[in-house]
Amino acid sequence: MAHWLMKSEPDVFSIDDLERDKTASWEGVRNYQARNIIRDEMKAGDLAFFYHSNIGAPGIVGVMRIQKEAYPDDTAFDPNSEYHDPKSDRESPRWYQVDVAFEEKFKETIPLAWLKEQPLLADCPLVKRGNRLSVMPVTRKQWRFIMQHARRGERRLPQ
DNA sequence: GCCAACGTTGGC
DNA sequence: GCCAACGTTGGC
């Protein structure tokens, strides 16, 4: 089983939206590197961190599971969609999406600022300067490290 | 709101 | 194929 990190702007789609809806189509990815990961590498059952981007305090906010492997992103065919891409057609779709399912929301966001301080995460594309990749792999070791930190944070909190 | 970094487009 | 111009991402 592989692990991933997927960014979303919470104003557009947040972990709370996913918790409410239980599942979602991860549509609107319009970057080839991210597309290749989604289309070629993600498998049903994989786990992914949900990351809130483009806000005051960006960070990892929870976990989701890849529920359905890649299939064409229909929003690319829809002229009324903000994700419309006239160069994509149903015969040879350019963009793909997966379906994701809610797993958990962390009690506390794990801030990007903290992630950047961790030597173990130095190789993660997320903390590299200028990185804009919205879907990226997370190693098993990095996943365990971040999950352990999330659990520590939860134990520290009062009930 | 600013702006650095990056990806894409299109003229040549 | 090069590369300047442009648009977008996303932290701050």
Coordinates of all heavy atoms in Angstrom, one line a residue, chain A residues 31-33 87 94 129-130 132, chain B residues 1 4-10:
Chain A
N31 N -2.4 19.5 -13.6 CA -0.9 19.5 -13.7 C -0.5 18.1 -14.1 O -1.0 17.1 -13.5 CB -0.4 19.9 -12.3 CG 1.1 19.7 -12.1 OD1 1.6 18.5 -12.0 ND2 1.9 20.7 -12.2
Y32 N 0.4 18.0 -15.1 CA 0.7 16.7 -15.7 C 1.4 15.8 -14.7 O 1.1 14.6 -14.7 CB 1.6 16.9 -16.9 CG 0.8 17.5 -18.1 CD1 0.9 18.8 -18.5 CD2 -0.2 16.7 -18.7 CE1 0.2 19.3 -19.5 CE2 -0.9 17.2 -19.8 CZ -0.7 18.5 -20.2 OH -1.5 19.0 -21.2
Q33 N 2.3 16.3 -13.9 CA 3.0 15.4 -12.9 C 2.0 14.9 -11.9 O 2.0 13.7 -11.6 CB 4.1 16.3 -12.2 CG 5.2 15.4 -11.6 CD 6.2 16.3 -10.9 OE1 6.3 17.5 -11.1 NE2 7.0 15.6 -10.1
K87 N -9.2 21.2 -24.7 CA -8.2 20.3 -25.3 C -8.4 18.8 -24.9 O -7.7 17.9 -25.4 CB -6.8 20.7 -25.1 CG -6.5 22.0 -25.9 CD -5.1 22.5 -25.5 CE -4.8 23.9 -26.2 NZ -3.6 24.5 -25.6
R94 N -7.6 13.9 -21.1 CA -6.3 14.5 -20.7 C -6.2 14.4 -19.2 O -5.1 14.2 -18.7 CB -6.2 15.9 -21.2 CG -4.9 16.6 -20.7 CD -4.8 18.0 -21.3 NE -4.6 18.0 -22.7 CZ -4.1 19.1 -23.4 NH1 -3.7 20.1 -22.7 NH2 -4.0 19.0 -24.7
R129 N 11.4 24.4 -1.6 CA 11.1 25.7 -1.9 C 10.5 25.8 -3.3 O 10.9 25.2 -4.3 CB 12.4 26.6 -1.9 CG 12.1 28.1 -1.9 CD 13.3 28.8 -1.6 NE 14.3 28.7 -2.7 CZ 14.9 29.7 -3.3 NH1 14.8 30.9 -2.8 NH2 15.8 29.5 -4.3
G130 N 9.4 26.5 -3.4 CA 8.8 26.7 -4.7 C 8.0 25.6 -5.2 O 7.5 25.6 -6.3
R132 N 5.0 23.2 -6.2 CA 3.6 23.5 -6.4 C 2.8 22.2 -6.7 O 1.7 22.3 -7.1 CB 3.4 24.5 -7.5 CG 3.9 25.9 -7.1 CD 4.2 26.7 -8.3 NE 3.3 26.5 -9.4 CZ 3.2 27.2 -10.5 NH1 4.1 28.1 -10.7 NH2 2.4 27.0 -11.5
Chain B
dG1 P -6.5 42.5 -1.8 OP1 -7.2 43.4 -1.0 OP2 -7.0 41.7 -2.9 O5' -5.0 43.0 -2.1 C5' -4.6 43.9 -1.2 C4' -3.1 43.8 -1.2 O4' -2.6 42.6 -0.5 C3' -2.4 43.7 -2.5 O3' -1.2 44.5 -2.5 C2' -2.2 42.3 -2.8 C1' -1.9 41.8 -1.3 N9 -2.3 40.4 -1.0 C8 -3.5 39.8 -1.3 N7 -3.5 38.6 -0.9 C5 -2.2 38.4 -0.3 C6 -1.7 37.2 0.4 O6 -2.2 36.1 0.5 N1 -0.4 37.4 0.8 C2 0.3 38.6 0.7 N2 1.5 38.7 1.2 N3 -0.2 39.7 0.1 C4 -1.5 39.5 -0.4
dA4 P 10.1 38.6 -5.9 OP1 10.7 39.6 -5.0 OP2 10.1 38.7 -7.3 O5' 10.8 37.2 -5.6 C5' 10.6 36.6 -4.3 C4' 10.4 35.1 -4.5 O4' 9.1 34.7 -4.8 C3' 11.3 34.4 -5.6 O3' 11.7 33.2 -5.1 C2' 10.3 34.3 -6.7 C1' 9.0 34.0 -6.0 N9 7.8 34.5 -6.7 C8 7.6 35.7 -7.4 N7 6.4 35.8 -7.8 C5 5.7 34.7 -7.4 C6 4.4 34.2 -7.6 N6 3.4 34.9 -8.2 N1 4.0 33.0 -7.0 C2 5.0 32.4 -6.4 N3 6.2 32.7 -6.1 C4 6.5 33.9 -6.7
dA5 P 12.8 32.3 -5.9 OP1 13.7 31.7 -4.9 OP2 13.3 33.2 -7.0 O5' 11.8 31.2 -6.5 C5' 11.1 30.4 -5.6 C4' 10.2 29.5 -6.5 O4' 9.1 30.3 -7.0 C3' 10.8 28.9 -7.6 O3' 10.6 27.5 -7.5 C2' 10.2 29.5 -8.9 C1' 8.8 29.9 -8.3 N9 8.2 31.1 -9.0 C8 8.8 32.2 -9.4 N7 8.0 33.1 -9.9 C5 6.8 32.5 -9.9 C6 5.5 32.8 -10.4 N6 5.2 34.0 -11.0 N1 4.5 31.9 -10.2 C2 4.8 30.8 -9.6 N3 5.9 30.3 -9.1 C4 6.9 31.2 -9.3
dC6 P 11.4 26.4 -8.4 OP1 11.6 25.3 -7.6 OP2 12.5 27.1 -9.1 O5' 10.3 26.0 -9.5 C5' 9.0 25.5 -9.0 C4' 8.0 25.7 -10.0 O4' 7.8 27.1 -10.3 C3' 8.3 25.1 -11.4 O3' 7.5 23.9 -11.5 C2' 7.8 26.2 -12.4 C1' 7.1 27.2 -11.5 N1 7.2 28.6 -12.0 C2 6.1 29.2 -12.5 O2 5.0 28.7 -12.4 N3 6.2 30.5 -12.9 C4 7.3 31.1 -13.0 N4 7.4 32.4 -13.5 C5 8.5 30.5 -12.5 C6 8.4 29.2 -12.1
dG7 P 7.7 23.0 -12.8 OP1 7.5 21.6 -12.4 OP2 8.9 23.4 -13.6 O5' 6.4 23.4 -13.6 C5' 5.1 23.4 -13.0 C4' 4.1 23.7 -14.1 O4' 4.1 25.2 -14.3 C3' 4.2 23.1 -15.4 O3' 3.0 22.7 -15.9 C2' 4.9 24.1 -16.3 C1' 4.4 25.4 -15.7 N9 5.3 26.6 -15.7 C8 6.6 26.6 -15.4 N7 7.2 27.7 -15.5 C5 6.2 28.5 -16.0 C6 6.2 29.9 -16.4 O6 7.1 30.7 -16.4 N1 5.0 30.3 -16.9 C2 3.9 29.5 -17.0 N2 2.8 30.1 -17.4 N3 3.8 28.3 -16.6 C4 5.0 27.8 -16.2
dT8 P 2.8 22.1 -17.3 OP1 1.6 21.1 -17.3 OP2 4.1 21.6 -17.8 O5' 2.4 23.3 -18.2 C5' 1.2 24.1 -17.8 C4' 1.0 25.1 -18.9 O4' 2.0 26.2 -18.8 C3' 0.9 24.6 -20.3 O3' -0.3 25.1 -20.9 C2' 2.2 25.2 -20.9 C1' 2.4 26.5 -20.1 N1 3.8 26.9 -20.0 C2 4.1 28.3 -20.3 O2 3.3 29.0 -20.7 N3 5.4 28.6 -20.0 C4 6.4 27.8 -19.6 O4 7.5 28.3 -19.4 C5 6.1 26.5 -19.3 C7 7.1 25.5 -18.8 C6 4.8 26.1 -19.5
dT9 P -0.6 24.7 -22.4 OP1 -2.1 24.6 -22.5 OP2 0.3 23.6 -22.9 O5' -0.3 26.0 -23.2 C5' -0.7 27.3 -22.7 C4' -0.2 28.4 -23.6 O4' 1.2 28.6 -23.2 C3' -0.2 28.1 -25.1 O3' -0.9 29.2 -25.7 C2' 1.2 28.0 -25.5 C1' 1.9 28.8 -24.4 N1 3.3 28.4 -24.1 C2 4.3 29.3 -24.0 O2 4.1 30.5 -24.2 N3 5.5 28.9 -23.6 C4 5.9 27.6 -23.3 O4 7.0 27.3 -23.0 C5 4.8 26.6 -23.5 C7 5.1 25.2 -23.2 C6 3.6 27.0 -23.8
dG10 P -1.4 29.1 -27.2 OP1 -2.7 29.9 -27.2 OP2 -1.4 27.7 -27.6 O5' -0.3 29.9 -28.0 C5' 0.1 31.2 -27.5 C4' 1.3 31.6 -28.3 O4' 2.5 31.0 -27.7 C3' 1.3 31.2 -29.8 O3' 1.9 32.2 -30.5 C2' 2.2 29.9 -29.8 C1' 3.2 30.3 -28.7 N9 4.0 29.2 -28.2 C8 3.6 27.9 -28.0 N7 4.5 27.2 -27.4 C5 5.5 28.0 -27.2 C6 6.8 27.8 -26.6 O6 7.2 26.8 -26.2 N1 7.6 29.0 -26.6 C2 7.1 30.2 -27.0 N2 8.0 31.2 -26.9 N3 6.0 30.4 -27.6 C4 5.2 29.3 -27.6

